[in-house]
Amino acid sequence: MKAKQSDDPDTPEDIRSMVRELIAPPNRTILFLQQSSVEWCNSMFLSVIQEVDPALQRTILVTSKFDNRLKAGLSVH
């Protein structure tokens, strides 16, 4: 994640730190919503979630606009 030209250059890391702090307590369930058009490898927060919940035991992954992937030829079985 890069800061917008009008933002403080520390903004992306500040956001990551805030998210990390909010999801850190082990009693919290993490809901990770990712738009289907964003590749997982480019996801801004997946790495933060994996740091906090490496086995994804308390993380729910939701892909929005999944129908777009189906239209693009992704086969789901």
Side-chain angles (χ1 to χ4, degrees), residues 15-52:
I15 293 170
R16 277 191 278 277
S17 293
M18 179 188 63
V19 169
R20 192 177 292 112
E21 182 179 326
L22 288 170
I23 66 174
N27 64 322
R28 292 196 174 156
T29 299
I30 302 165
L31 176 62
F32 178 62
L33 177 62
Q34 178 72 47
Q35 187 171 334
S36 68
S37 61
V38 176
E39 296 297 329
W40 288 100
C41 62
N42 295 328
S43 175
M44 183 170 50
F45 292 109
L46 189 56
S47 61
V48 174
I49 290 170
Q50 288 177 313
E51 288 174 23
V52 175

Side-chain angles (χ1 to χ4, degrees), residues 63-75:
T63 302
S64 71
K65 301 182 182 178
F66 192 66
D67 60 319
N68 291 338
R69 288 287 181 170
L70 295 175
K71 292 174 192 172
L74 174 70
S75 63

